[in-house]
PDB file of all heavy atoms in Angstrom:
ATOM      1  N   GLY K  84     -21.642 -18.109  -6.780  1.00 93.00           N
ATOM      2  CA  GLY K  84     -20.314 -18.382  -7.332  1.00 93.00           C
ATOM      3  C   GLY K  84     -19.356 -17.138  -7.364  1.00 93.00           C
ATOM      4  O   GLY K  84     -18.092 -17.369  -7.493  1.00 93.00           O
ATOM      5  N   TYR K  85     -19.892 -15.968  -7.195  1.00 95.00           N
ATOM      6  CA  TYR K  85     -19.087 -14.731  -7.230  1.00 95.00           C
ATOM      7  C   TYR K  85     -18.639 -14.411  -5.726  1.00 95.00           C
ATOM      8  O   TYR K  85     -19.524 -14.398  -4.947  1.00 95.00           O
ATOM      9  CB  TYR K  85     -19.763 -13.550  -7.836  1.00 95.00           C
ATOM     10  CG  TYR K  85     -18.869 -12.313  -7.716  1.00 95.00           C
ATOM     11  CD1 TYR K  85     -17.805 -12.132  -8.416  1.00 95.00           C
ATOM     12  CD2 TYR K  85     -19.359 -11.262  -6.880  1.00 95.00           C
ATOM     13  CE1 TYR K  85     -16.930 -10.981  -8.245  1.00 95.00           C
ATOM     14  CE2 TYR K  85     -18.584 -10.009  -6.712  1.00 95.00           C
ATOM     15  CZ  TYR K  85     -17.416  -9.972  -7.456  1.00 95.00           C
ATOM     16  OH  TYR K  85     -16.610  -8.753  -7.426  1.00 95.00           O
ATOM     17  N   ASP K  86     -17.388 -14.309  -5.507  1.00 96.00           N
ATOM     18  CA  ASP K  86     -16.850 -14.075  -4.051  1.00 96.00           C
ATOM     19  C   ASP K  86     -16.545 -12.654  -3.967  1.00 96.00           C
ATOM     20  O   ASP K  86     -15.406 -12.218  -4.248  1.00 96.00           O
ATOM     21  CB  ASP K  86     -15.736 -14.978  -3.851  1.00 96.00           C
ATOM     22  CG  ASP K  86     -15.484 -15.167  -2.220  1.00 96.00           C
ATOM     23  OD1 ASP K  86     -15.713 -14.094  -1.647  1.00 96.00           O
ATOM     24  OD2 ASP K  86     -14.967 -16.073  -1.862  1.00 96.00           O
ATOM     25  N   PHE K  87     -17.444 -11.769  -3.514  1.00 96.00           N
ATOM     26  CA  PHE K  87     -17.303 -10.355  -3.396  1.00 96.00           C
ATOM     27  C   PHE K  87     -16.148 -10.034  -2.390  1.00 96.00           C
ATOM     28  O   PHE K  87     -15.247  -9.258  -2.626  1.00 96.00           O
ATOM     29  CB  PHE K  87     -18.545  -9.742  -2.801  1.00 96.00           C
ATOM     30  CG  PHE K  87     -18.530  -8.283  -2.625  1.00 96.00           C
ATOM     31  CD1 PHE K  87     -18.888  -7.380  -3.597  1.00 96.00           C
ATOM     32  CD2 PHE K  87     -18.179  -7.751  -1.373  1.00 96.00           C
ATOM     33  CE1 PHE K  87     -18.905  -5.992  -3.359  1.00 96.00           C
ATOM     34  CE2 PHE K  87     -18.076  -6.398  -1.147  1.00 96.00           C
ATOM     35  CZ  PHE K  87     -18.410  -5.519  -2.092  1.00 96.00           C
ATOM     36  N   MET K  88     -16.167 -10.776  -1.281  1.00 96.00           N
ATOM     37  CA  MET K  88     -15.245 -10.548  -0.164  1.00 96.00           C
ATOM     38  C   MET K  88     -13.838 -10.954  -0.593  1.00 96.00           C
ATOM     39  O   MET K  88     -12.794 -10.269  -0.199  1.00 96.00           O
ATOM     40  CB  MET K  88     -15.595 -11.248   1.115  1.00 96.00           C
ATOM     41  CG  MET K  88     -16.960 -10.690   1.684  1.00 96.00           C
ATOM     42  SD  MET K  88     -16.838  -8.913   2.170  1.00 96.00           S
ATOM     43  CE  MET K  88     -15.932  -9.018   3.698  1.00 96.00           C
ATOM     44  N   LEU K  89     -13.660 -11.947  -1.414  1.00 96.00           N
ATOM     45  CA  LEU K  89     -12.394 -12.452  -1.783  1.00 96.00           C
ATOM     46  C   LEU K  89     -11.666 -11.393  -2.733  1.00 96.00           C
ATOM     47  O   LEU K  89     -10.549 -11.010  -2.624  1.00 96.00           O
ATOM     48  CB  LEU K  89     -12.474 -13.706  -2.528  1.00 96.00           C
ATOM     49  CG  LEU K  89     -11.153 -14.289  -3.093  1.00 96.00           C
ATOM     50  CD1 LEU K  89     -10.282 -14.582  -1.857  1.00 96.00           C
ATOM     51  CD2 LEU K  89     -11.495 -15.497  -3.937  1.00 96.00           C
ATOM     52  N   GLU K  90     -12.517 -10.817  -3.659  1.00 96.00           N
ATOM     53  CA  GLU K  90     -12.001  -9.729  -4.606  1.00 96.00           C
ATOM     54  C   GLU K  90     -11.613  -8.487  -3.688  1.00 96.00           C
ATOM     55  O   GLU K  90     -10.607  -7.825  -4.006  1.00 96.00           O
ATOM     56  CB  GLU K  90     -12.973  -9.404  -5.584  1.00 96.00           C
ATOM     57  CG  GLU K  90     -12.372  -8.398  -6.680  1.00 96.00           C
ATOM     58  CD  GLU K  90     -13.157  -8.284  -7.948  1.00 96.00           C
ATOM     59  OE1 GLU K  90     -14.139  -9.175  -8.097  1.00 96.00           O
ATOM     60  OE2 GLU K  90     -12.776  -7.542  -8.800  1.00 96.00           O
ATOM     61  N   LEU K  91     -12.459  -8.167  -2.778  1.00 97.00           N
ATOM     62  CA  LEU K  91     -12.182  -6.983  -1.889  1.00 97.00           C
ATOM     63  C   LEU K  91     -10.844  -7.174  -1.164  1.00 97.00           C
ATOM     64  O   LEU K  91     -10.038  -6.282  -1.026  1.00 97.00           O
ATOM     65  CB  LEU K  91     -13.369  -6.817  -0.916  1.00 97.00           C
ATOM     66  CG  LEU K  91     -13.128  -5.510  -0.012  1.00 97.00           C
ATOM     67  CD1 LEU K  91     -12.881  -4.215  -0.764  1.00 97.00           C
ATOM     68  CD2 LEU K  91     -14.400  -5.385   0.893  1.00 97.00           C
ATOM     69  N   ARG K  92     -10.725  -8.450  -0.511  1.00 97.00           N
ATOM     70  CA  ARG K  92      -9.518  -8.626   0.136  1.00 97.00           C
ATOM     71  C   ARG K  92      -8.275  -8.603  -0.683  1.00 97.00           C
ATOM     72  O   ARG K  92      -7.260  -8.024  -0.283  1.00 97.00           O
ATOM     73  CB  ARG K  92      -9.618 -10.090   0.839  1.00 97.00           C
ATOM     74  CG  ARG K  92      -8.421 -10.337   1.643  1.00 97.00           C
ATOM     75  CD  ARG K  92      -8.259 -11.810   2.063  1.00 97.00           C
ATOM     76  NE  ARG K  92      -6.927 -11.902   2.743  1.00 97.00           N
ATOM     77  CZ  ARG K  92      -6.759 -11.892   4.093  1.00 97.00           C
ATOM     78  NH1 ARG K  92      -7.769 -11.789   4.945  1.00 97.00           N
ATOM     79  NH2 ARG K  92      -5.531 -12.017   4.519  1.00 97.00           N
ATOM     80  N   GLY K  93      -8.375  -9.001  -1.942  1.00 97.00           N
ATOM     81  CA  GLY K  93      -7.259  -8.868  -2.780  1.00 97.00           C
ATOM     82  C   GLY K  93      -6.968  -7.456  -3.100  1.00 97.00           C
ATOM     83  O   GLY K  93      -5.622  -7.212  -3.044  1.00 97.00           O
ATOM     84  N   GLY K  94      -7.871  -6.613  -3.211  1.00 97.00           N
ATOM     85  CA  GLY K  94      -7.495  -5.181  -3.412  1.00 97.00           C
ATOM     86  C   GLY K  94      -6.880  -4.580  -2.212  1.00 97.00           C
ATOM     87  O   GLY K  94      -5.842  -3.822  -2.321  1.00 97.00           O
ATOM     88  N   ILE K  95      -7.427  -4.901  -1.042  1.00 97.00           N
ATOM     89  CA  ILE K  95      -6.857  -4.405   0.258  1.00 97.00           C
ATOM     90  C   ILE K  95      -5.400  -4.780   0.351  1.00 97.00           C
ATOM     91  O   ILE K  95      -4.491  -4.064   0.686  1.00 97.00           O
ATOM     92  CB  ILE K  95      -7.714  -4.748   1.424  1.00 97.00           C
ATOM     93  CG1 ILE K  95      -9.187  -4.169   1.357  1.00 97.00           C
ATOM     94  CG2 ILE K  95      -6.927  -4.326   2.704  1.00 97.00           C
ATOM     95  CD1 ILE K  95     -10.093  -4.662   2.377  1.00 97.00           C
ATOM     96  N   ASP K  96      -5.243  -6.142   0.221  1.00 97.00           N
ATOM     97  CA  ASP K  96      -3.904  -6.675   0.368  1.00 97.00           C
ATOM     98  C   ASP K  96      -2.788  -6.165  -0.515  1.00 97.00           C
ATOM     99  O   ASP K  96      -1.581  -5.887  -0.238  1.00 97.00           O
ATOM    100  CB  ASP K  96      -3.969  -8.207   0.088  1.00 97.00           C
ATOM    101  CG  ASP K  96      -2.758  -8.958   0.662  1.00 97.00           C
ATOM    102  OD1 ASP K  96      -2.175  -8.519   1.782  1.00 97.00           O
ATOM    103  OD2 ASP K  96      -2.470 -10.023   0.159  1.00 97.00           O
ATOM    104  N   ARG K  97      -3.272  -5.781  -1.872  1.00 96.00           N
ATOM    105  CA  ARG K  97      -2.209  -5.158  -2.722  1.00 96.00           C
ATOM    106  C   ARG K  97      -1.976  -3.721  -2.462  1.00 96.00           C
ATOM    107  O   ARG K  97      -0.890  -3.222  -2.730  1.00 96.00           O
ATOM    108  CB  ARG K  97      -2.791  -5.274  -4.186  1.00 96.00           C
ATOM    109  CG  ARG K  97      -2.781  -6.712  -4.793  1.00 96.00           C
ATOM    110  CD  ARG K  97      -3.070  -6.708  -6.239  1.00 96.00           C
ATOM    111  NE  ARG K  97      -4.389  -6.302  -6.539  1.00 96.00           N
ATOM    112  CZ  ARG K  97      -5.428  -7.078  -6.565  1.00 96.00           C
ATOM    113  NH1 ARG K  97      -5.266  -8.341  -6.246  1.00 96.00           N
ATOM    114  NH2 ARG K  97      -6.685  -6.684  -6.887  1.00 96.00           N
ATOM    115  N   ILE K  98      -2.964  -2.956  -1.818  1.00 97.00           N
ATOM    116  CA  ILE K  98      -2.795  -1.589  -1.651  1.00 97.00           C
ATOM    117  C   ILE K  98      -2.132  -1.275  -0.237  1.00 97.00           C
ATOM    118  O   ILE K  98      -1.158  -0.401  -0.179  1.00 97.00           O
ATOM    119  CB  ILE K  98      -4.129  -0.782  -1.610  1.00 97.00           C
ATOM    120  CG1 ILE K  98      -4.737  -0.858  -3.086  1.00 97.00           C
ATOM    121  CG2 ILE K  98      -4.097   0.550  -1.029  1.00 97.00           C
ATOM    122  CD1 ILE K  98      -6.155  -0.483  -3.184  1.00 97.00           C
ATOM    123  N   LEU K  99      -2.325  -1.959   0.858  1.00 97.00           N
ATOM    124  CA  LEU K  99      -1.735  -1.684   2.097  1.00 97.00           C
ATOM    125  C   LEU K  99      -0.263  -2.072   2.185  1.00 97.00           C
ATOM    126  O   LEU K  99       0.100  -3.074   1.799  1.00 97.00           O
ATOM    127  CB  LEU K  99      -2.559  -2.537   3.253  1.00 97.00           C
ATOM    128  CG  LEU K  99      -3.948  -2.070   3.476  1.00 97.00           C
ATOM    129  CD1 LEU K  99      -4.428  -2.905   4.718  1.00 97.00           C
ATOM    130  CD2 LEU K  99      -4.144  -0.556   3.805  1.00 97.00           C
ATOM    131  N   PRO K 100       0.526  -1.120   2.715  1.00 97.00           N
ATOM    132  CA  PRO K 100       2.001  -1.412   2.779  1.00 97.00           C
ATOM    133  C   PRO K 100       2.335  -2.394   3.944  1.00 97.00           C
ATOM    134  O   PRO K 100       1.317  -2.725   4.782  1.00 97.00           O
ATOM    135  CB  PRO K 100       2.573  -0.019   3.140  1.00 97.00           C
ATOM    136  CG  PRO K 100       1.527   0.665   3.852  1.00 97.00           C
ATOM    137  CD  PRO K 100       0.236   0.195   3.150  1.00 97.00           C
ATOM    138  N   PRO K 101       3.501  -3.020   3.929  1.00 97.00           N
ATOM    139  CA  PRO K 101       3.744  -4.022   4.989  1.00 97.00           C
ATOM    140  C   PRO K 101       3.577  -3.624   6.462  1.00 97.00           C
ATOM    141  O   PRO K 101       3.257  -4.342   7.333  1.00 97.00           O
ATOM    142  CB  PRO K 101       5.271  -4.346   4.741  1.00 97.00           C
ATOM    143  CG  PRO K 101       5.475  -4.040   3.295  1.00 97.00           C
ATOM    144  CD  PRO K 101       4.603  -2.834   2.955  1.00 97.00           C
ATOM    145  N   ASP K 102       3.785  -2.199   6.627  1.00 98.00           N
ATOM    146  CA  ASP K 102       3.715  -1.731   7.993  1.00 98.00           C
ATOM    147  C   ASP K 102       2.449  -0.973   8.290  1.00 98.00           C
ATOM    148  O   ASP K 102       2.370  -0.106   9.150  1.00 98.00           O
ATOM    149  CB  ASP K 102       4.904  -0.790   8.337  1.00 98.00           C
ATOM    150  CG  ASP K 102       4.973   0.354   7.377  1.00 98.00           C
ATOM    151  OD1 ASP K 102       4.279   0.350   6.317  1.00 98.00           O
ATOM    152  OD2 ASP K 102       5.670   1.393   7.739  1.00 98.00           O
ATOM    153  N   ALA K 103       1.387  -1.289   7.511  1.00 98.00           N
ATOM    154  CA  ALA K 103       0.100  -0.556   7.539  1.00 98.00           C
ATOM    155  C   ALA K 103      -0.519  -0.573   8.988  1.00 98.00           C
ATOM    156  O   ALA K 103      -1.066   0.450   9.406  1.00 98.00           O
ATOM    157  CB  ALA K 103      -0.881  -1.237   6.602  1.00 98.00           C
ATOM    158  N   HIS K 104      -0.282  -1.608   9.647  1.00 98.00           N
ATOM    159  CA  HIS K 104      -0.961  -1.747  11.023  1.00 98.00           C
ATOM    160  C   HIS K 104      -0.243  -0.846  11.971  1.00 98.00           C
ATOM    161  O   HIS K 104      -0.886  -0.267  12.861  1.00 98.00           O
ATOM    162  CB  HIS K 104      -0.851  -3.195  11.499  1.00 98.00           C
ATOM    163  CG  HIS K 104       0.497  -3.802  11.494  1.00 98.00           C
ATOM    164  ND1 HIS K 104       1.235  -4.083  10.445  1.00 98.00           N
ATOM    165  CD2 HIS K 104       1.255  -4.233  12.650  1.00 98.00           C
ATOM    166  CE1 HIS K 104       2.418  -4.587  10.752  1.00 98.00           C
ATOM    167  NE2 HIS K 104       2.419  -4.720  12.111  1.00 98.00           N
ATOM    168  N   LEU K 105       1.077  -0.605  11.783  1.00 98.00           N
ATOM    169  CA  LEU K 105       1.808   0.292  12.612  1.00 98.00           C
ATOM    170  C   LEU K 105       1.424   1.726  12.321  1.00 98.00           C
ATOM    171  O   LEU K 105       1.249   2.630  13.209  1.00 98.00           O
ATOM    172  CB  LEU K 105       3.291   0.123  12.481  1.00 98.00           C
ATOM    173  CG  LEU K 105       3.934  -1.317  12.750  1.00 98.00           C
ATOM    174  CD1 LEU K 105       5.320  -1.320  12.425  1.00 98.00           C
ATOM    175  CD2 LEU K 105       3.579  -1.650  14.181  1.00 98.00           C
ATOM    176  N   LEU K 106       1.267   2.164  11.049  1.00 98.00           N
ATOM    177  CA  LEU K 106       0.799   3.349  10.708  1.00 98.00           C
ATOM    178  C   LEU K 106      -0.521   3.700  11.120  1.00 98.00           C
ATOM    179  O   LEU K 106      -0.941   4.876  11.515  1.00 98.00           O
ATOM    180  CB  LEU K 106       0.999   3.517   9.049  1.00 98.00           C
ATOM    181  CG  LEU K 106       2.315   3.389   8.512  1.00 98.00           C
ATOM    182  CD1 LEU K 106       2.261   3.255   6.969  1.00 98.00           C
ATOM    183  CD2 LEU K 106       3.219   4.618   8.958  1.00 98.00           C
TER     184      LEU K 106
END
Side-chain angles (χ1 to χ4, degrees):
Y85 175 68
D86 197 330
F87 179 93
M88 295 299 285
L89 181 64
E90 184 161 0
L91 178 58
R92 183 191 174 95
I95 294 172
D96 199 28
R97 287 190 295 274
I98 290 167
L99 295 185
D102 61 345
H104 57 295
L105 301 176
L106 296 169

